[in-house]
PDB file of all heavy atoms in Angstrom:
ATOM      1  N   PHE A 246      38.578 134.265 110.146  1.00 98.00           N
ATOM      2  CA  PHE A 246      38.162 133.251 109.189  1.00 98.00           C
ATOM      3  C   PHE A 246      36.847 132.675 109.705  1.00 98.00           C
ATOM      4  O   PHE A 246      36.706 132.452 110.916  1.00 98.00           O
ATOM      5  CB  PHE A 246      39.194 132.137 109.086  1.00 98.00           C
ATOM      6  CG  PHE A 246      40.503 132.531 108.448  1.00 98.00           C
ATOM      7  CD1 PHE A 246      41.716 132.154 109.023  1.00 98.00           C
ATOM      8  CD2 PHE A 246      40.529 133.280 107.285  1.00 98.00           C
ATOM      9  CE1 PHE A 246      42.915 132.507 108.430  1.00 98.00           C
ATOM     10  CE2 PHE A 246      41.730 133.640 106.681  1.00 98.00           C
ATOM     11  CZ  PHE A 246      42.930 133.250 107.267  1.00 98.00           C
ATOM     12  N   SER A 247      35.914 132.426 108.815  1.00 97.00           N
ATOM     13  CA  SER A 247      34.587 131.954 109.199  1.00 97.00           C
ATOM     14  C   SER A 247      34.233 130.707 108.417  1.00 97.00           C
ATOM     15  O   SER A 247      34.388 130.678 107.189  1.00 97.00           O
ATOM     16  CB  SER A 247      33.554 133.052 108.944  1.00 97.00           C
ATOM     17  OG  SER A 247      32.246 132.592 109.182  1.00 97.00           O
ATOM     18  N   ALA A 248      33.747 129.680 109.128  1.00 97.00           N
ATOM     19  CA  ALA A 248      33.414 128.395 108.501  1.00 97.00           C
ATOM     20  C   ALA A 248      31.985 127.994 108.854  1.00 97.00           C
ATOM     21  O   ALA A 248      31.625 127.958 110.031  1.00 97.00           O
ATOM     22  CB  ALA A 248      34.388 127.316 108.949  1.00 97.00           C
ATOM     23  N   ILE A 249      31.191 127.720 107.833  1.00 96.00           N
ATOM     24  CA  ILE A 249      29.820 127.242 108.030  1.00 96.00           C
ATOM     25  C   ILE A 249      29.674 125.872 107.368  1.00 96.00           C
ATOM     26  O   ILE A 249      29.983 125.718 106.185  1.00 96.00           O
ATOM     27  CB  ILE A 249      28.788 128.231 107.469  1.00 96.00           C
ATOM     28  CG1 ILE A 249      28.892 129.577 108.197  1.00 96.00           C
ATOM     29  CG2 ILE A 249      27.370 127.673 107.613  1.00 96.00           C
ATOM     30  CD1 ILE A 249      27.915 130.618 107.701  1.00 96.00           C
ATOM     31  N   GLN A 250      29.209 124.909 108.118  1.00 95.00           N
ATOM     32  CA  GLN A 250      29.086 123.542 107.638  1.00 95.00           C
ATOM     33  C   GLN A 250      28.008 123.422 106.557  1.00 95.00           C
ATOM     34  O   GLN A 250      27.039 124.209 106.549  1.00 95.00           O
ATOM     35  CB  GLN A 250      28.719 122.609 108.802  1.00 95.00           C
ATOM     36  CG  GLN A 250      29.716 122.613 109.945  1.00 95.00           C
ATOM     37  CD  GLN A 250      31.046 122.024 109.542  1.00 95.00           C
ATOM     38  OE1 GLN A 250      31.107 121.045 108.796  1.00 95.00           O
ATOM     39  NE2 GLN A 250      32.122 122.626 110.034  1.00 95.00           N
ATOM     40  N   PRO A 251      28.114 122.440 105.651  1.00 95.00           N
ATOM     41  CA  PRO A 251      27.014 122.204 104.703  1.00 95.00           C
ATOM     42  C   PRO A 251      25.761 121.835 105.473  1.00 95.00           C
ATOM     43  O   PRO A 251      25.806 121.064 106.442  1.00 95.00           O
ATOM     44  CB  PRO A 251      27.522 121.030 103.853  1.00 95.00           C
ATOM     45  CG  PRO A 251      28.609 120.395 104.678  1.00 95.00           C
ATOM     46  CD  PRO A 251      29.224 121.488 105.475  1.00 95.00           C
ATOM     47  N   GLY A 252      24.659 122.444 105.112  1.00 93.00           N
ATOM     48  CA  GLY A 252      23.435 122.258 105.851  1.00 93.00           C
ATOM     49  C   GLY A 252      23.337 123.121 107.080  1.00 93.00           C
ATOM     50  O   GLY A 252      22.342 123.095 107.801  1.00 93.00           O
ATOM     51  N   GLY A 253      24.360 123.929 107.321  1.00 93.00           N
ATOM     52  CA  GLY A 253      24.377 124.804 108.475  1.00 93.00           C
ATOM     53  C   GLY A 253      23.848 126.188 108.112  1.00 93.00           C
ATOM     54  O   GLY A 253      23.730 126.572 106.954  1.00 93.00           O
ATOM     55  N   SER A 254      23.532 126.962 109.133  1.00 91.00           N
ATOM     56  CA  SER A 254      23.050 128.322 108.911  1.00 91.00           C
ATOM     57  C   SER A 254      23.295 129.139 110.173  1.00 91.00           C
ATOM     58  O   SER A 254      23.449 128.611 111.273  1.00 91.00           O
ATOM     59  CB  SER A 254      21.558 128.336 108.553  1.00 91.00           C
ATOM     60  OG  SER A 254      20.791 127.877 109.650  1.00 91.00           O
ATOM     61  N   LEU A 255      23.370 130.455 109.979  1.00 92.00           N
ATOM     62  CA  LEU A 255      23.349 131.391 111.084  1.00 92.00           C
ATOM     63  C   LEU A 255      21.947 131.980 111.104  1.00 92.00           C
ATOM     64  O   LEU A 255      21.537 132.646 110.146  1.00 92.00           O
ATOM     65  CB  LEU A 255      24.400 132.481 110.902  1.00 92.00           C
ATOM     66  CG  LEU A 255      25.849 132.011 110.675  1.00 92.00           C
ATOM     67  CD1 LEU A 255      26.789 133.213 110.650  1.00 92.00           C
ATOM     68  CD2 LEU A 255      26.268 131.013 111.748  1.00 92.00           C
ATOM     69  N   GLN A 256      21.210 131.723 112.147  1.00 91.00           N
ATOM     70  CA  GLN A 256      19.816 132.129 112.205  1.00 91.00           C
ATOM     71  C   GLN A 256      19.696 133.663 112.238  1.00 91.00           C
ATOM     72  O   GLN A 256      20.669 134.364 112.509  1.00 91.00           O
ATOM     73  CB  GLN A 256      19.153 131.518 113.441  1.00 91.00           C
ATOM     74  CG  GLN A 256      19.274 130.006 113.527  1.00 91.00           C
ATOM     75  CD  GLN A 256      18.394 129.264 112.514  1.00 91.00           C
ATOM     76  OE1 GLN A 256      17.979 129.829 111.514  1.00 91.00           O
ATOM     77  NE2 GLN A 256      18.122 128.004 112.765  1.00 91.00           N
ATOM     78  N   PRO A 257      18.518 134.209 111.938  1.00 92.00           N
ATOM     79  CA  PRO A 257      18.361 135.667 111.856  1.00 92.00           C
ATOM     80  C   PRO A 257      18.861 136.379 113.112  1.00 92.00           C
ATOM     81  O   PRO A 257      18.545 135.994 114.249  1.00 92.00           O
ATOM     82  CB  PRO A 257      16.843 135.826 111.687  1.00 92.00           C
ATOM     83  CG  PRO A 257      16.422 134.582 110.972  1.00 92.00           C
ATOM     84  CD  PRO A 257      17.262 133.510 111.561  1.00 92.00           C
ATOM     85  N   HIS A 258      19.659 137.423 112.882  1.00 93.00           N
ATOM     86  CA  HIS A 258      20.236 138.196 113.979  1.00 93.00           C
ATOM     87  C   HIS A 258      20.644 139.553 113.431  1.00 93.00           C
ATOM     88  O   HIS A 258      20.531 139.821 112.223  1.00 93.00           O
ATOM     89  CB  HIS A 258      21.446 137.467 114.571  1.00 93.00           C
ATOM     90  CG  HIS A 258      22.573 137.232 113.597  1.00 93.00           C
ATOM     91  ND1 HIS A 258      22.485 136.322 112.567  1.00 93.00           N
ATOM     92  CD2 HIS A 258      23.797 137.809 113.499  1.00 93.00           C
ATOM     93  CE1 HIS A 258      23.622 136.328 111.895  1.00 93.00           C
ATOM     94  NE2 HIS A 258      24.427 137.233 112.421  1.00 93.00           N
ATOM     95  N   THR A 259      21.105 140.433 114.285  1.00 94.00           N
ATOM     96  CA  THR A 259      21.632 141.733 113.849  1.00 94.00           C
ATOM     97  C   THR A 259      22.967 141.987 114.529  1.00 94.00           C
ATOM     98  O   THR A 259      23.294 141.380 115.559  1.00 94.00           O
ATOM     99  CB  THR A 259      20.667 142.884 114.201  1.00 94.00           C
ATOM    100  OG1 THR A 259      20.533 142.972 115.623  1.00 94.00           O
ATOM    101  CG2 THR A 259      19.322 142.711 113.559  1.00 94.00           C
ATOM    102  N   GLY A 260      23.720 142.926 113.942  1.00 93.00           N
ATOM    103  CA  GLY A 260      24.980 143.344 114.517  1.00 93.00           C
ATOM    104  C   GLY A 260      24.778 144.524 115.464  1.00 93.00           C
ATOM    105  O   GLY A 260      23.678 145.065 115.588  1.00 93.00           O
ATOM    106  N   PRO A 261      25.853 144.976 116.122  1.00 93.00           N
ATOM    107  CA  PRO A 261      25.719 145.981 117.166  1.00 93.00           C
ATOM    108  C   PRO A 261      25.400 147.375 116.690  1.00 93.00           C
ATOM    109  O   PRO A 261      24.710 148.128 117.387  1.00 93.00           O
ATOM    110  CB  PRO A 261      27.082 145.944 117.872  1.00 93.00           C
ATOM    111  CG  PRO A 261      28.019 145.369 116.864  1.00 93.00           C
ATOM    112  CD  PRO A 261      27.226 144.404 116.071  1.00 93.00           C
ATOM    113  N   THR A 262      25.872 147.770 115.501  1.00 95.00           N
ATOM    114  CA  THR A 262      25.713 149.176 115.104  1.00 95.00           C
ATOM    115  C   THR A 262      25.701 149.340 113.597  1.00 95.00           C
ATOM    116  O   THR A 262      26.389 148.626 112.869  1.00 95.00           O
ATOM    117  CB  THR A 262      26.862 150.024 115.690  1.00 95.00           C
ATOM    118  OG1 THR A 262      26.759 151.377 115.194  1.00 95.00           O
ATOM    119  CG2 THR A 262      28.230 149.470 115.302  1.00 95.00           C
ATOM    120  N   ASN A 263      24.926 150.317 113.132  1.00 96.00           N
ATOM    121  CA  ASN A 263      24.907 150.669 111.710  1.00 96.00           C
ATOM    122  C   ASN A 263      26.119 151.514 111.323  1.00 96.00           C
ATOM    123  O   ASN A 263      26.313 151.812 110.137  1.00 96.00           O
ATOM    124  CB  ASN A 263      23.637 151.408 111.337  1.00 96.00           C
ATOM    125  CG  ASN A 263      23.535 152.762 111.998  1.00 96.00           C
ATOM    126  OD1 ASN A 263      23.673 152.868 113.219  1.00 96.00           O
ATOM    127  ND2 ASN A 263      23.298 153.792 111.216  1.00 96.00           N
ATOM    128  N   ALA A 264      26.952 151.877 112.284  1.00 96.00           N
ATOM    129  CA  ALA A 264      28.161 152.653 111.988  1.00 96.00           C
ATOM    130  C   ALA A 264      29.282 151.762 111.484  1.00 96.00           C
ATOM    131  O   ALA A 264      30.330 152.261 111.039  1.00 96.00           O
ATOM    132  CB  ALA A 264      28.628 153.399 113.236  1.00 96.00           C
ATOM    133  N   SER A 265      29.103 150.437 111.526  1.00 96.00           N
ATOM    134  CA  SER A 265      30.097 149.483 111.075  1.00 96.00           C
ATOM    135  C   SER A 265      29.503 148.632 109.960  1.00 96.00           C
ATOM    136  O   SER A 265      28.361 148.194 110.044  1.00 96.00           O
ATOM    137  CB  SER A 265      30.518 148.590 112.237  1.00 96.00           C
ATOM    138  OG  SER A 265      31.497 147.646 111.822  1.00 96.00           O
ATOM    139  N   LEU A 266      30.272 148.418 108.898  1.00 97.00           N
ATOM    140  CA  LEU A 266      29.873 147.542 107.798  1.00 97.00           C
ATOM    141  C   LEU A 266      30.718 146.267 107.864  1.00 97.00           C
ATOM    142  O   LEU A 266      31.741 146.219 108.540  1.00 97.00           O
ATOM    143  CB  LEU A 266      30.063 148.238 106.456  1.00 97.00           C
ATOM    144  CG  LEU A 266      29.288 149.544 106.251  1.00 97.00           C
ATOM    145  CD1 LEU A 266      29.604 150.135 104.881  1.00 97.00           C
ATOM    146  CD2 LEU A 266      27.779 149.346 106.420  1.00 97.00           C
ATOM    147  N   THR A 267      30.276 145.245 107.134  1.00 97.00           N
ATOM    148  CA  THR A 267      30.963 143.954 107.134  1.00 97.00           C
ATOM    149  C   THR A 267      31.288 143.539 105.711  1.00 97.00           C
ATOM    150  O   THR A 267      30.461 143.677 104.809  1.00 97.00           O
ATOM    151  CB  THR A 267      30.073 142.887 107.790  1.00 97.00           C
ATOM    152  OG1 THR A 267      29.803 143.245 109.155  1.00 97.00           O
ATOM    153  CG2 THR A 267      30.758 141.513 107.769  1.00 97.00           C
ATOM    154  N   ALA A 268      32.496 143.046 105.522  1.00 97.00           N
ATOM    155  CA  ALA A 268      32.915 142.494 104.221  1.00 97.00           C
ATOM    156  C   ALA A 268      33.334 141.050 104.405  1.00 97.00           C
ATOM    157  O   ALA A 268      33.982 140.700 105.398  1.00 97.00           O
ATOM    158  CB  ALA A 268      34.084 143.318 103.668  1.00 97.00           C
ATOM    159  N   HIS A 269      32.960 140.209 103.455  1.00 97.00           N
ATOM    160  CA  HIS A 269      33.376 138.798 103.429  1.00 97.00           C
ATOM    161  C   HIS A 269      34.112 138.521 102.146  1.00 97.00           C
ATOM    162  O   HIS A 269      33.550 138.736 101.052  1.00 97.00           O
ATOM    163  CB  HIS A 269      32.169 137.866 103.507  1.00 97.00           C
ATOM    164  CG  HIS A 269      31.636 137.624 104.872  1.00 97.00           C
ATOM    165  ND1 HIS A 269      31.955 136.498 105.618  1.00 97.00           N
ATOM    166  CD2 HIS A 269      30.796 138.349 105.655  1.00 97.00           C
ATOM    167  CE1 HIS A 269      31.330 136.548 106.778  1.00 97.00           C
ATOM    168  NE2 HIS A 269      30.620 137.665 106.836  1.00 97.00           N
ATOM    169  N   LEU A 270      35.346 138.065 102.235  1.00 98.00           N
ATOM    170  CA  LEU A 270      36.056 137.549 101.076  1.00 98.00           C
ATOM    171  C   LEU A 270      35.756 136.060 100.952  1.00 98.00           C
ATOM    172  O   LEU A 270      36.039 135.288 101.888  1.00 98.00           O
ATOM    173  CB  LEU A 270      37.558 137.760 101.215  1.00 98.00           C
ATOM    174  CG  LEU A 270      38.440 137.020 100.199  1.00 98.00           C
ATOM    175  CD1 LEU A 270      38.203 137.566  98.772  1.00 98.00           C
ATOM    176  CD2 LEU A 270      39.918 137.122 100.576  1.00 98.00           C
ATOM    177  N   GLY A 271      35.168 135.636  99.834  1.00 97.00           N
ATOM    178  CA  GLY A 271      34.906 134.225  99.626  1.00 97.00           C
ATOM    179  C   GLY A 271      36.196 133.472  99.411  1.00 97.00           C
ATOM    180  O   GLY A 271      36.913 133.726  98.428  1.00 97.00           O
ATOM    181  N   LEU A 272      36.514 132.536 100.290  1.00 97.00           N
ATOM    182  CA  LEU A 272      37.771 131.794 100.185  1.00 97.00           C
ATOM    183  C   LEU A 272      37.604 130.443  99.524  1.00 97.00           C
ATOM    184  O   LEU A 272      38.377 130.066  98.639  1.00 97.00           O
ATOM    185  CB  LEU A 272      38.380 131.614 101.582  1.00 97.00           C
ATOM    186  CG  LEU A 272      38.924 132.890 102.240  1.00 97.00           C
ATOM    187  CD1 LEU A 272      39.357 132.614 103.683  1.00 97.00           C
ATOM    188  CD2 LEU A 272      40.095 133.466 101.435  1.00 97.00           C
ATOM    189  N   ARG A 273      36.574 129.679  99.943  1.00 97.00           N
ATOM    190  CA  ARG A 273      36.432 128.326  99.372  1.00 97.00           C
ATOM    191  C   ARG A 273      34.986 127.841  99.593  1.00 97.00           C
ATOM    192  O   ARG A 273      34.370 128.120 100.606  1.00 97.00           O
ATOM    193  CB  ARG A 273      37.405 127.368 100.046  1.00 97.00           C
ATOM    194  CG  ARG A 273      37.315 125.924  99.540  1.00 97.00           C
ATOM    195  CD  ARG A 273      38.303 125.012 100.261  1.00 97.00           C
ATOM    196  NE  ARG A 273      39.686 125.278  99.853  1.00 97.00           N
ATOM    197  CZ  ARG A 273      40.716 125.224 100.676  1.00 97.00           C
ATOM    198  NH1 ARG A 273      40.534 124.932 101.968  1.00 97.00           N
ATOM    199  NH2 ARG A 273      41.947 125.454 100.239  1.00 97.00           N
TER     200      ARG A 273
END
């Protein structure tokens, strides 16, 4: 589960490998 505060952000970055994809289910 991932929570980001209002006014918050995750600054530019990359993940470890292009062999893995990421999915996010919008909860609330």
Side-chain angles (χ1 to χ4, degrees):
F246 291 135
S247 174
I249 298 180
Q250 301 293 321
S254 65
L255 306 186
Q256 305 288 20
H258 61 288
T259 63
T262 175
N263 66 307
S265 180
L266 301 179
T267 299
H269 278 261
L270 168 66
L272 290 173
R273 179 181 289 143

